Amino acid sequence: MQLKLSVAVLAGAGILSSASVRAQDAQAAADKAQADAQISSVVVTGVRRAAQSAQTIKRNSDEVIDSIVAEDAGKFPDKNVAEVLGRVTGVQVLRAGGEASTVIIRGLPGLTTLLNGREVYTSSGRSLYLSDIPTTMLQRVDVYKTQGAEMVEGGTAGVIDVRTSRPFDFKGFSASLNGRVENRDKSNKNDPQVAGMVSNRWKTDIGEFGALVGLSYQKGHYQDEVTWNSPPDNTVTSDPTITGPRDLGHSGTTGKRDRWSGNWAFQYKPSNNLEVYAEGWSTRIEHDRETQFFIGNLGWNAGTTYTLFPGTKQIDTVTSTGDLYALSSNQAPQDDSESHQGAIGAKWKVTPDLRVSTEFARTTSHWQQSFPIMEMFAHPTKIVGQTYVDGGARFDYPGTNMLDPANYTLGAFIDNWAESRGQSNDWRADVTWNNGEEHFFREFSGGVRLAQRKAAYQHESANFLAAPAGLPAVGSLPGLTCPSMPMAGSYGMSQWLVICGDYQHANLDAWRKMYGRNGQTAPDPYSLYSNKEDTTAFYGKTRFGFDAGPIPVEGTFGVRVVKTELDVNGFSQVNGLPVAVNRKTSDTDVLPNLTMKATLTDTLIARFNAGKAIQRPEFNLFNPGQSLGTTETSPGSGLYDGAGGNPDLKPVTGKNADVALEWYFAPTGSLTATVFKHKFQDYILTSLARETIDGKEYRMSRPRNVNDGTLEGVELGYRQFYDFLPGWLGGFGLEANYTYMKGHLNDQGKVTPFPGMSKNAYNINVLYERGPWSGRVAYNYRSKFVDTFNYRAILPPVGPIDLIVDPIETIDASLSYKINDHLGITLDVENLGDRTYNDYHNVPSNPRDIRRYDRVIGLSLRWKL
């Protein structure tokens, strides 16, 4: 009964096709005795119900998919979508700036994120920024490792579809209110968060109506700290085989993020065969932060003394005296962004076997940033440094008070600003015909999608202003300086003076005048781009089925054809002057997809999926503008540095195959294994290459297509609640998964691993639910990976340097108590193990930096009706 109910709910939500529902009904009858026996002694609620729903989605999907389903309306185990995804098989996340942000699937960043199956297009990106969606709005999150022909194209690594609730998801009136306060240990702040949702449905003489409104507000302070080494270099002129850093430094970031989000949905069913709906989502983010940066030059003069690590030519400690270079820089960006999406659509069951649907969506986004950087020079006379201490660098200035304004003078002013806008219109129509379960071809479907996207971006010109003569003394300007945030780790100098972030923005125009500038500068023409992309897509798909002896087999075959017309506009530099550039391209991609699923037994399923996918570059990479250096990389070399975009970029193409075996031994018990292989063409990396521009030779950094690449691996997943254990032990459950990956890119004969790919990653999630209590402890691990290849081009004997990241471990925990049917309380801890992020130059004893983040303790009170 419970399994049938889950299937019915999924069908109503649009997850399962009619053919899948009928097939599952047949299997549900065969499994009824076993399923009823397993659940008869357990009330399936909360954590178990969410796990059971997620397992049912995976079992019945045509594609290779993993899902996370809300335990109840507005109740997910984490506070934003990116945090939730860290628990999914094959998914890894990186945390910074107070929250999880970067998400990759199977070690690769080439993924598309959708909202309710729709593209969320911004001015530079093609995907929804997952941290912008609070989990209080969610019904579920689906992670597709393979793609059907009916899905929006994009995502060579996979697709993440974020699904919000609709009023018809509930039986009648429903309301929830979540209040939360969280404490962060390094920023030492207590921040409020609140979210609420109200939904209802009404039956009238003209049909059934439903309406839902949700609102959310989050405030979050955070503090990240870094201590770092510059890349190893030939610092000792008398012995060029000795290597060490030229600079050591600290960097602390404090920030405050205010995020407002809202979603709404209306549904109307004049009859059982017709539904009309409208829904939308909006978010606004104000994000203010300061990065307090300190550079301490090691001097490297005739009086410098140093020691080496035993048995190496690598520098360990350094002591220098003299007029030493030291820089305090406060980088204080203030970001303001808004995104809105609205959609209207209809679903019509024309006959029992014919269904049609259509939808129109519009998305708009606007982002702007004010980003002043104000610098001061410090004037110490002695530095004592150690290049490797606990994954970072330790240095101090004996005899100099680094908090005394008298030891500083004003330095450069970097006056940055930027702005971008984007909008898209998206229309699609689909038709499905059910041909009957008795035929080989059981279902036919097809559709069309038309999308138009526009994007524009610009930033400042002439942002660097050197310190003019006659600037006032640092100590003569009231309110100018503040002590930097203190370092939580023991790395020598723990604080220094910085120009206060509040002072920078409050006195920005006066500061510009002091440096000889009136007001904000005009846009840099080389940064300006205005792009338009039109996409026309058609697809056709059939669902088929047959019996291979006693084994029923069902599958799908589909083809999506996508024509993309791109119109890129910007400026390029010719003879030192901006010249307008317009580049128009048009290409057509054919994307076939095949799925097959064999039901070997009532509980054992085998799958095979193969298909082709594309991932188009983000719009900012197409920018034809370029920045060209005016100083030779070394005297007399005739070589200059430059950077730019690439309007000739091709989309990344992926040809993917997955083979899976899935054993569903209980409604909330499964053991799954998937072997996958991806082959890529035209993978995009930012790299250096020599180019001749206006008769000069430049070492240009720009995004480029590499030849090809291959990724392969295996995923294992296990889920079970141990209801058979006696007493309170029966409340325990375990979710665990492991992913092994290996792969490489071939760039003109040079073979390298994928940047950002860990060979090993696993998650262990211990669950407990019994009576009013529930809890979880989640452990996430990913092995080391290369962040950037050829990070810095250093002269021999050091040679090219790769930036490598140490393994990352994260532990989170939560404990909930259900006070009554309407009220519950949750205590959770993020970063329980006080994780650190360590990266290094080629070898671990040559660190670049160590990064430390806040430990977050949250207390939530949740009411529902």
Side-chain angles (χ1 to χ4, degrees):
M1 178 64 186
Q2 182 67 39
L3 188 57
K4 283 188 174 182
L5 178 60
S6 296
V7 173
V9 170
L10 295 172
I15 300 170
L16 303 179
S17 70
S18 57
S20 293
V21 172
R22 282 192 287 270
Q24 188 58 38
D25 279 343
Q27 183 165 329
D31 291 343
K32 184 178 186 301
Q34 178 184 358
D36 286 350
Q38 290 176 341
I39 67 174
S40 60
S41 61
V42 179
V43 178
V44 183
T45 60
V47 177
R48 280 179 173 81
R49 182 168 57 191
Q52 182 170 316
S53 298
Q55 181 168 300
T56 305
I57 293 170
K58 181 178 181 69
R59 180 173 185 167
N60 290 284
S61 175
D62 295 320
E63 308 300 330
V64 177
I65 184 176
D66 286 285
S67 296
I68 298 181
V69 178
E71 296 172 14
D72 206 337
K75 188 175 188 297
F76 265 79
D78 298 278
K79 66 180 181 181
N80 71 45
V81 178
E83 298 277 356
V84 169
L85 289 169
R87 313 194 192 289
V88 175
T89 306
V91 177
Q92 295 90 45
V93 302
L94 287 178
R95 292 172 167 89
E99 61 187 15
S101 51
T102 303
V103 179
I104 59 177
I105 298 178
R106 293 174 173 174
L108 300 178
L111 58 91
T112 293
T113 55
L114 307 175
L115 181 65
N116 295 314
R118 294 185 290 269
E119 191 177 53
V120 178
Y121 175 78
T122 64
S123 54
S124 60
R126 300 176 180 273
S127 290
L128 174 70
Y129 188 63
L130 292 170
S131 296
D132 287 350
I133 306 296
T135 54
T136 50
M137 291 185 178
L138 300 185
Q139 181 198 61
R140 70 181 194 274
V141 181
D142 298 329
V143 180
Y144 291 88
K145 315 294 181 59
T146 62
Q147 300 173 49
E150 76 281 5
M151 296 174 65
V152 175
E153 65 277 357
T156 51
V159 175
I160 297 172
D161 192 4
V162 177
R163 295 279 178 172
T164 58
S165 297
R166 287 179 173 177
F168 286 178
D169 296 334
F170 305 97
K171 292 180 179 179
F173 179 79
S174 180
S176 64
L177 182 65
N178 290 23
R180 173 183 167 91
V181 62
E182 61 180 33
N183 173 269
R184 296 170 178 262
D185 65 337
K186 294 180 178 59
S187 54
N188 195 27
K189 297 289 186 180
N190 295 309
D191 293 318
Q193 299 175 5
V194 63
M197 183 273 294
V198 178
S199 178
N200 203 359
R201 53 194 298 180
W202 306 268
K203 290 185 177 180
T204 71
D205 293 339
I206 59 172
E208 186 172 12
F209 292 86
L212 178 149
V213 177
L215 296 172
S216 170
Y217 170 71
Q218 296 179 348
K219 178 188 285 291
H221 289 83
Y222 62 88
Q223 178 172 313
D224 301 344
E225 70 170 43
V226 180
T227 181
W228 54 269
N229 287 266
S230 66
D233 208 341
N234 309 114
T235 50
V236 181
T237 56
S238 60
D239 187 348
T241 64
I242 294 176
T243 62
R246 295 192 178 274
D247 305 297
L248 305 179
H250 296 328
S251 171
T253 298
T254 61
K256 179 177 74 73
R257 185 185 289 107
D258 291 281
R259 179 181 279 124
W260 295 265
S261 298
N263 69 311
W264 53 270
F266 297 97
Q267 290 176 281
Y268 170 51
K269 292 184 71 172
S271 69
N272 290 332
N273 296 327
L274 179 63
E275 178 188 331
V276 179
Y277 63 89
E279 63 183 351
W281 161 83
S282 296
T283 185
R284 176 180 174 83
I285 301 124
E286 293 179 358
H287 186 190
D288 300 342
R289 61 191 186 276
E290 296 180 40
T291 297
Q292 301 167 352
F293 206 76
F294 189 90
I295 301 175
N297 187 264
L298 288 170
W300 291 114
N301 52 45
T304 300
T305 60
Y306 59 88
T307 64
L308 304 178
F309 288 107
T312 74
K313 289 295 187 79
Q314 184 180 327
I315 289 168
D316 180 11
T317 65
V318 181
T319 300
S320 291
T321 57
D323 185 11
L324 300 174
Y325 174 87
L327 178 71
S328 169
S329 172
N330 198 2
Q331 306 173 9
Q334 292 186 343
D335 294 44
D336 188 352
S337 64
E338 284 190 24
S339 296
H340 307 274
Q341 185 181 80
I344 185 169
K347 300 175 183 179
W348 181 25
K349 191 174 183 180
V350 183
T351 71
D353 295 320
L354 181 64
R355 304 188 307 274
V356 297
S357 64
T358 186
E359 180 181 87
F360 174 79
R362 178 169 173 82
T363 307
T364 62
S365 68
H366 178 223
W367 170 82
Q368 58 185 357
Q369 181 187 74
S370 173
F371 190 176
I373 302 174
M374 297 183 183
E375 298 181 343
M376 297 187 295
F377 292 109
H379 302 281
T381 57
K382 183 177 182 178
I383 186 171
V384 177
Q386 190 171 359
T387 65
Y388 182 84
V389 177
D390 244 3
R394 188 183 195 283
F395 62 99
D396 215 336
Y397 294 102
T400 302
N401 181 359
M402 299 303 288
L403 292 175
D404 185 352
N407 291 321
Y408 289 84
T409 56
L410 293 179
F413 169 44
I414 299 95
D415 189 9
N416 301 311
W417 64 266
E419 184 177 16
S420 65
R421 294 181 182 273
Q423 64 183 46
S424 68
N425 296 317
D426 189 328
W427 172 79
R428 66 179 298 165
D430 302 85
V431 58
T432 301
W433 178 47
N434 178 22
N435 195 37
E437 295 296 298
E438 69 277 11
H439 296 95
F440 177 82
F441 292 110
R442 300 175 177 178
E443 187 176 270
F444 296 93
S445 58
V448 59
R449 175 175 178 258
L450 306 177
Q452 182 184 78
R453 312 171 185 90
K454 295 180 180 179
Y457 172 84
Q458 59 184 0
H459 67 62
E460 79 294 324
S461 61
N463 61 341
F464 184 85
L465 298 173
L471 287 176
V474 169
S476 67
L477 297 172
L480 174 68
T481 60
C482 298
S484 69
M485 53 174 268
M487 303 289 290
S490 179
Y491 296 100
M493 181 190 67
S494 62
Q495 283 187 288
W496 61 96
L497 276 189
V498 296
I499 297 178
C500 305
D502 290 343
Y503 183 96
Q504 293 189 201
H505 288 281
N507 298 277
L508 191 53
D509 284 332
W511 201 264
R512 286 167 172 154
K513 289 181 179 179
M514 192 165 69
Y515 276 74
R517 168 175 290 170
N518 288 318
Q520 179 176 291
T521 64
D524 180 357
Y526 303 113
S527 74
L528 179 64
Y529 67 77
S530 177
N531 300 337
K532 179 183 176 183
E533 183 181 82
D534 292 337
T535 298
T536 304
F538 300 90
Y539 80 88
K541 181 176 179 178
T542 182
R543 184 182 301 276
F544 59 85
F546 59 92
D547 291 334
I551 299 174
V553 178
E554 60 179 341
T556 66
F557 176 73
V559 178
R560 189 176 188 88
V561 180
V562 185
K563 181 179 180 181
T564 305
E565 298 175 297
L566 181 64
D567 187 346
V568 177
N569 297 274
F571 292 87
S572 187
Q573 190 178 89
V574 178
N575 297 321
L577 297 174
V579 175
V581 175
N582 173 258
R583 189 71 55 85
K584 293 183 179 180
T585 61
S586 178
D587 56 75
T588 301
D589 297 284
V590 179
L591 309 174
N593 172 269
L594 171 69
T595 76
M596 296 188 70
K597 179 169 64 174
T599 305
L600 304 179
T601 71
D602 290 345
T603 60
L604 190 63
I605 293 174
R607 299 179 187 272
F608 171 76
N609 289 53
K612 182 180 178 182
I614 57 170
Q615 181 75 34
R616 297 200 173 276
E618 295 186 354
F619 265 110
N620 59 307
L621 300 182
F622 288 118
N623 185 6
Q626 53 195 17
S627 175
L628 304 177
T630 58
T631 304
E632 292 178 315
T633 55
S634 59
S637 67
L639 181 65
Y640 301 82
D641 277 328
N646 187 349
D648 297 318
L649 284 175
K650 302 175 184 177
V652 181
T653 300
K655 297 178 181 178
N656 310 327
D658 290 68
V659 178
L661 189 63
E662 301 167 357
W663 180 31
Y664 298 98
F665 53 83
T668 54
S670 62
L671 182 63
T672 62
T674 305
V675 177
F676 57 87
K677 186 170 185 177
H678 302 289
K679 301 186 80 172
F680 299 96
Q681 291 180 324
D682 296 320
Y683 200 83
I684 297 173
L685 291 177
T686 297
S687 60
L688 294 170
R690 295 198 176 197
E691 300 179 20
T692 300
I693 302 173
D694 290 347
K696 290 184 178 180
E697 191 172 12
Y698 292 88
R699 186 172 56 188
M700 292 294 294
S701 172
R702 48 169 108 242
R704 307 174 195 275
N705 292 109
V706 302
N707 291 348
D708 54 50
T710 300
L711 174 73
E712 54 192 9
V714 61
E715 295 175 342
L716 303 175
Y718 167 74
R719 172 189 286 129
Q720 186 173 11
F721 277 87
Y722 303 107
D723 305 319
F724 53 85
L725 294 177
W728 62 271
L729 293 175
F732 279 106
L734 179 66
E735 294 177 339
N737 59 71
Y738 167 75
T739 305
Y740 170 79
M741 296 160 284
K742 67 174 183 178
H744 67 271
L745 290 170
N746 184 351
D747 185 8
Q748 299 178 350
K750 182 181 178 182
V751 177
T752 60
F754 284 94
M757 184 197 75
S758 297
K759 279 190 175 182
N760 299 281
Y762 57 87
N763 304 316
I764 301 173
N765 196 10
V766 179
L767 309 172
Y768 188 81
E769 183 178 48
R770 191 166 185 85
W773 292 98
S774 64
R776 70 183 70 228
V777 177
Y779 173 80
N780 307 93
Y781 172 88
R782 60 180 300 193
S783 61
K784 71 176 184 179
F785 58 93
V786 178
D787 179 272
T788 308
F789 287 100
N790 197 15
Y791 167 67
R792 295 285 174 89
I794 306 295
L795 297 174
V798 178
I801 292 173
D802 295 334
L803 191 61
I804 303 171
V805 180
D806 264 343
I808 297 176
E809 300 175 277
T810 301
I811 304 175
D812 304 321
S814 68
L815 180 65
S816 297
Y817 180 75
K818 188 176 180 181
I819 299 171
N820 54 45
D821 289 340
H822 304 291
L823 193 64
I825 189 169
T826 298
L827 176 69
D828 59 81
V829 183
E830 178 195 321
N831 189 19
L832 187 63
D834 198 19
R835 70 183 180 275
T836 59
Y837 177 104
N838 297 269
D839 56 9
Y840 55 88
H841 305 102
N842 287 345
V843 294
S845 58
N846 253 332
R848 183 178 80 156
D849 60 38
I850 179 171
R851 309 177 195 179
R852 297 181 181 274
Y853 307 106
D854 281 303
R855 178 186 286 120
V856 184
I857 300 176
L859 183 64
S860 304
L861 188 66
R862 181 174 179 275
W863 171 84
K864 71 166 186 174
L865 185 64

